[in-house]
């Protein structure tokens, strides 16, 4: 079974879907691993490391994909008119594609994949169950995004995180406020605490309150009947009413005025990120404060965030609105992402056939499969 790993061509994507470590393990499963030349370069994995791991280095996408039965990607392959080459046109009919294909917000993608007969698994749709944890690309990438947000926030902040007592006097500890305490937010809390900041956090899901406290941060938030029912069966936050958001904003506004660093991570599945930091709140912050908005890919939690940009406001607040935060720590993010995909493949690997076998009645397979045998099959795309 030939397995191809392509170079990522979508704008700003620095990660790669297999590392030398996973390439070796994929080869041990019986795959011939073909890596498109330069695929790992932006993540710090040069071709030679893959070659040392037993992979074949293919000179271009077409030769990597030639005869490939499995294709690993970070983002969706480029279709007609989407970039310098039409990657999809080079796929083998019947190939299995595994990646973060962002299938639901881009329904045309699934139809394009079905039309070329590619069976596709969109890994961001994996159910968030205990069994899925080691394959959960959203968790592994959010974890690193949360860490990176604090590190970049600290670098943009021109004071110190820990209290520094020196002969010349004392520098106070920074106040950091994390908005949204899912996977990224909890890692941001832990990282900011390790750096010595005084950390507080908010969320709407009741379970998050205990998790915030268990990491040693203070919970700040508004709770009512609506927030007590704010978690969906899948574990995600529900979209909150305008009335709730207004009450939450009242509680948060006074707190934000005293913060040095605000890390925004709040997301609502399938929607624009909720605006939690208004322009008035930003105006109330001290000069030199930093807002790190890792919800920028979904529009951002701060009203003044410009996705993909760094903004410095008139009152001296820096807003980091970079997108693709996992891609800003590409080596580690690729290492975890590649292991997620390896675990998915090994879980559904038929040793005798030396090929993946994806049972249609398996809840994980059902969750991620968007196309099969030339048809779009995911219920979310029906
Ligand atoms: P997410 O990225 O969808 O959202 C980030 C956080 O923002 C969430 O905690 C959410 O509650 C919060 N949020 C949304 N609206 C908000 C608002 N108005 N104000 C404040 N906060 C708001 O979430 P995630 O990190 O992907 O986690 C989603 C769920 O999945 C959680 O319950 C988590 O525990 C669970 N999970 C389970 C597993 C597993 O068992 N396999 C793995 C990872 C996550």
């Amino acid at each position: 079974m030939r397995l191809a790993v392509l170079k990522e061509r979508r704008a700003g994507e620095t990660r790669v879907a297999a590392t030398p470590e996973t390439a070796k393990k994929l080869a041990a499963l019986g795959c011939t691993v073909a890596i498109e030349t330069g695929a790992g370069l932006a993540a710090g994995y040069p071709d030679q490391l893959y070659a040392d791991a037993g992979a074949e280095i293919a000179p271009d996408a077409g030769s990597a994909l030639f005869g490939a039965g499995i294709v690993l990607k970070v983002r969706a392959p480029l279709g007609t008119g989407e970039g310098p080459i039409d990657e999809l046109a080079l796929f083998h009919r019947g190939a299995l594609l595994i990646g973060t294909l962002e299938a639901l917000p881009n329904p045309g993608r699934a139809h394009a994949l079905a039309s070329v007969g590619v069976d596709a698994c969109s890994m961001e749709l994996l159910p968030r169950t205990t069994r899925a944890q080691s394959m959960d690309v959203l968790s592994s990438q959010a974890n690193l995004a949360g860490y990176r947000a604090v590190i970049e926030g600290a670098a943009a902040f021109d004071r110190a995180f820990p209290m520094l007592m020196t002969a010349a006097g004392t520098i106070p500890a920074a106040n950091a406020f994390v908005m949204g305490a899912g996977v990224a937010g909890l890692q941001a809390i832990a990282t900011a605490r390790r750096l010595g900041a005084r950390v507080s956090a908010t969320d709407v899901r009741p379970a998050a309150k205990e998790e915030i406290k268990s990491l040693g941060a203070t919970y700040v938030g508004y709770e009512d009947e609506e927030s007590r029912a704010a978690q969906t069966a899948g574990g995600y936050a529900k979209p909150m009413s305008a009335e709730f958001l207004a009450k939450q904003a009242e509680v948060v506004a006074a707190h934000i005025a005293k913060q040095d660093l605000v890390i925004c991570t709040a997301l609502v599945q399938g929607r624009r990120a909720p605006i939690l930091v208004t322009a008035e709140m930003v105006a109330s912050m001290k000069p030199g404060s930093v807002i790190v908005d890792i919800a920028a890919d979904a529009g951002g939690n701060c009203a003044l965030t410009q996705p993909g940009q760094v903004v410095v406001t008139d009152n001296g607040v820096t807003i980091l609105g970079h997108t693709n935060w996992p891609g800003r720590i590409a080596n580690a993010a690729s290492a975890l992402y590649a292991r997620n995909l390896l675990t998915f493949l090994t879980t559904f690997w038929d040793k005798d056939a030396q090929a993946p076998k994806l049972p249609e009645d398996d809840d994980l397979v059902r969750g991620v499969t968007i196309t099969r045998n030339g048809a779009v099959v995911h219920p979310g795309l029906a």
Side-chain angles (χ1 to χ4, degrees):
M1 174 68 68
R2 184 175 173 86
L3 179 148
V5 178
L6 297 189
K7 186 154 78 185
E8 297 297 323
R9 290 184 167 79
R10 290 195 182 266
E13 191 49 76
T14 47
R15 293 167 291 169
V16 61
T19 58
E21 178 207 345
T22 64
K24 192 170 185 173
K25 290 181 176 155
L26 290 163
L29 284 178
C31 295
T32 301
V33 179
I35 308 277
E36 181 183 352
T37 182
L41 213 51
Y45 302 107
D47 287 353
Q48 191 57 49
L49 292 182
Y50 291 100
D52 294 346
E56 168 193 323
I57 307 301
D60 51 37
S63 13
L65 287 168
F66 190 74
I70 305 172
V71 184
L72 303 185
K73 287 278 288 125
V74 177
R75 310 273 298 280
L78 298 176
T80 320
E82 281 196 292
I85 61 167
D86 183 346
E87 293 172 314
L88 213 44
L90 303 169
F91 275 60
H92 206 262
R93 226 179 157 75
L96 171 67
L97 166 66
I98 306 174
T100 315
L101 307 178
E102 297 160 307
L104 297 189
N106 301 288
R109 261 181 211 171
H111 291 282
L113 288 160
S115 71
V116 291
V118 169
D119 291 353
C121 294
S122 208
M123 292 299 284
E124 77 282 6
L125 301 176
L126 195 74
R128 312 298 285 276
T129 60
T130 308
R131 179 172 161 246
Q133 268 177 1
S134 53
M135 317 167 204
D136 186 340
V137 297
L138 289 183
S139 288
S140 72
Q141 304 305 288
N143 208 313
L144 289 168
Y147 162 79
R148 183 74 185 186
V150 176
I151 298 302
E152 294 206 27
F157 180 54
D158 65 2
R159 274 166 271 160
F161 261 46
M163 182 171 78
L164 295 175
M165 296 171 82
T166 78
T170 300
I171 303 284
N175 291 319
F177 182 42
V178 178
M179 306 191 79
V183 179
L186 293 176
Q187 181 57 259
I189 293 172
T191 306
R193 293 245 314 138
R194 277 184 215 124
L195 288 180
R198 266 195 301 262
V199 185
S200 55
T202 192
D203 203 297
V204 287
R205 291 179 301 105
K209 184 175 176 181
E210 288 316 308
E211 288 163 356
I212 289 167
K213 289 189 191 163
S214 73
L215 287 174
T218 313
Y219 170 80
V220 175
Y222 173 74
E223 294 166 275
D224 65 6
E225 282 308 309
E226 188 179 343
S227 67
R228 277 186 272 282
Q231 182 157 323
T232 66
Y236 292 102
K238 289 182 187 164
M240 306 305 280
S241 67
E243 293 73 32
F244 178 90
L245 290 173
K247 295 225 171 76
Q248 185 189 34
E250 264 176 47
V251 174
V252 157
H255 188 66
I256 283 190
K258 292 179 249 150
Q259 299 306 307
D260 298 301
L261 198 88
V262 178
I263 311 271
C264 300
T265 79
L267 292 175
V268 177
Q269 209 191 17
R271 299 191 174 229
R272 193 210 180 280
I275 297 282
L276 304 179
V277 184
T278 62
E280 294 73 32
M281 292 181 198
V282 179
S284 77
M285 294 176 77
K286 291 168 283 186
S289 307
V290 179
I291 297 173
V292 187
D293 199 342
I294 64 171
D297 286 285
N301 291 145
C302 174
L304 301 186
T305 294
Q306 289 183 24
Q309 313 273 329
V310 175
V311 172
V312 181
T313 65
D314 290 344
N315 63 320
V317 177
T318 302
I319 305 171
L320 306 184
H322 304 303
T323 48
N324 189 13
W325 282 83
R328 301 180 70 78
I329 176 165
N331 188 283
S334 301
L336 298 189
Y337 181 86
R339 280 188 214 144
N340 290 145
L341 298 199
L342 172 72
T343 307
F344 181 76
L345 265 180
T346 46
T347 303
F348 298 107
W349 194 256
D350 182 333
K351 285 197 181 110
D352 299 327
Q354 294 214 333
K357 191 171 175 183
L358 301 176
E360 286 179 46
D361 59 351
D362 183 281
D363 64 323
L364 303 186
V365 172
R366 241 192 353 255
V368 297
T369 305
I370 56 163
T371 57
R372 194 192 279 265
N373 298 331
V376 176
V377 295
H378 197 279
L381 290 161

